[in-house]
């Protein structure tokens, strides 16, 4: 309990310092770093600090070789909790996140979304979805990846929900590869407000779905293919969740 309280105190102080620091970085780089590579590198350090600040927490990554930083992808992942985003930063991506607009009101999180140039969407609004696709396609054309959680919302059990089709429509529009990512550990890192320690977060980067497959496969079929890839991998990561 004491370590959990200490973690939250240190975390709040760290987030305040980070918020000031990343704002300064943005002011110094906004004029010339159009792909926001410096912001992405700063966010990587910030994300890893969320794990490094907690004794007993560690990250295990598999499949780093499947991610080529020189290429833009539509990255997709299963969705378990707020720590999903910092966990994915373990592979040091330069990416724009598609996130629900309500997050803009959250302390620290909303500020980071604006600085980072992420793409906000109002769920259930067709016009917002169309605008998201337009902005996301523009980022991909600049050579910057876009990351989407196709489930939209997460299940408390940690299992996978059904996939929405937006990410796959975007990949077809932009003509880019889809990079599936399976993650685990963010749904059960806390018991109430107390941290679980020791605890391991897992991130498995799967082989990308080639452009040819993206182009020649229907959106629904493409969604089913990607979901099956991630689901199969997640079953190996957490077989206990899928026992009948």
């Amino acid at each position: 309990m004491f370590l959990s309280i200490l973690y939250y105190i240190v975390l709040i102080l760290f987030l305040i310092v980070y918020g000031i620091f990343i704002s300064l970085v943005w002011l110094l780089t906004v004029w010339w770093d159009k792909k926001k590579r410096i912001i992405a590198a700063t966010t990587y350090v910030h994300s890893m600090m969320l794990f490094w600040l907690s004794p007993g927490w560690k990250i295990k990554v598999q499949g780093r070789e499947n991610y080529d930083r020189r290429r833009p992808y539509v990255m997709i992942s299963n969705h378990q909790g707020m720590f999903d985003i910092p966990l994915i930063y373990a592979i040091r991506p330069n990416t724009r996140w598609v996130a629900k607009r309500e997050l803009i009101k959250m302390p620290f999180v909303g500020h980071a979304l604006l600085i980072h140039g992420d793409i906000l969407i109002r769920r259930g609004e067709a016009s917002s979805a169309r605008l998201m696709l337009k902005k996301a396609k523009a980022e991909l054309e600049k050579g910057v990846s876009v990351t989407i959680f196709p489930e939209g919302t997460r299940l408390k059990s940690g299992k996978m929900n059904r996939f929405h089709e937006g990410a796959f429509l975007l990949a077809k529009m932009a003509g880019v590869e889809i990079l599936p990512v399976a993650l685990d550990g963010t749904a059960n890192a806390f018991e109430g407000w107390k941290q679980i320690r020791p605890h391991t977060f897992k991130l498995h980067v799967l082989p990308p779905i080639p452009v040819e497959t993206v182009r020649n496969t229907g959106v629904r079929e493409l969604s089913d293919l990607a979901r099956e890839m991630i689901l199969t991998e997640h079953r190996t990561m957490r077989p206990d969740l899928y026992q009948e």
Side-chain angles (χ1 to χ4, degrees):
M1 184 181 295
F2 172 75
L3 287 176
S4 294
I5 294 172
L6 182 61
Y7 174 81
Y8 288 118
I9 293 172
V10 173
L11 179 63
I12 291 171
L13 293 174
F14 169 71
L15 289 174
I16 293 171
V17 173
Y18 169 75
I20 296 170
F21 179 72
I22 199 172
S23 297
L24 293 174
V25 171
W26 179 80
L27 287 171
L28 293 172
T29 62
V30 66
W31 310 109
W32 55 273
D33 187 11
K34 299 304 181 184
K35 292 186 179 180
K36 298 193 175 184
R37 291 192 180 98
I38 306 300
I39 291 290
T42 305
T43 305
Y44 161 74
V45 175
H46 158 251
S47 297
M48 293 302 97
M49 284 295 292
L50 298 178
F51 300 97
W52 296 336
L53 287 171
S54 181
W57 276 11
K58 60 181 179 179
I59 299 173
K60 286 187 176 181
V61 180
Q62 291 184 17
R64 289 182 190 272
E65 67 279 3
N66 292 320
Y67 173 60
D68 184 348
R69 294 182 195 167
R70 297 167 296 180
R71 295 188 176 195
Y73 300 96
V74 172
M75 295 175 59
I76 60 169
S77 171
N78 59 312
H79 192 20
Q80 292 193 336
M82 286 296 295
F83 272 69
D84 294 346
I85 290 177
L87 179 57
I88 291 174
Y89 268 106
I91 60 172
R92 302 189 68 171
N94 184 15
T95 186
R96 302 292 173 264
W97 301 87
V98 174
K100 57 185 180 181
R101 182 167 290 277
E102 301 94 284
L103 292 177
I104 203 73
K105 300 176 183 178
M106 291 184 63
F108 308 116
V109 174
H111 178 70
L113 290 172
L114 291 174
I115 290 289
H116 201 258
D118 293 317
I119 302 164
L120 305 178
I121 184 172
R122 291 187 179 91
R123 289 188 294 189
E125 292 188 13
S127 59
S128 183
R130 288 193 295 270
L131 183 59
M132 179 277 288
L133 289 171
K134 180 180 178 180
K135 290 181 177 179
K137 186 172 181 286
E139 292 295 334
L140 290 164
E141 289 172 346
K142 288 193 301 186
V144 179
S145 294
V146 173
T147 304
I148 299 176
F149 296 107
E151 294 168 276
T153 56
R154 56 188 184 267
L155 296 176
K156 292 182 179 180
S157 65
K159 290 184 178 182
M160 287 177 55
N161 210 338
R162 70 183 186 90
F163 277 11
H164 298 286
E165 298 180 359
F168 310 97
L169 177 59
L170 172 62
K172 290 179 74 68
M173 289 172 56
V176 298
E177 295 179 313
I178 297 172
L179 186 67
V181 175
L183 58 80
D184 191 73
T186 60
N188 58 343
F190 295 87
E191 188 176 293
W193 60 271
K194 290 191 242 181
Q195 293 176 288
I196 302 299
R197 286 184 303 270
H199 188 72
T200 300
F201 299 86
K202 298 177 182 179
L203 185 71
H204 293 186
V205 185
L206 308 181
I209 300 174
V211 173
E212 293 76 14
T213 303
V214 172
R215 287 174 177 163
N216 298 325
T217 308
V219 173
R220 184 69 260 169
E221 291 78 13
L222 196 56
S223 171
D224 291 341
L225 170 64
R227 185 180 185 277
E228 186 59 32
M229 289 176 66
I230 297 175
L231 179 60
T232 299
E233 189 67 18
H234 195 241
R235 286 179 185 274
T236 69
M237 299 164 78
R238 287 294 304 279
D240 57 296
L241 288 179
Y242 299 94
Q243 291 176 354
E244 298 297 336

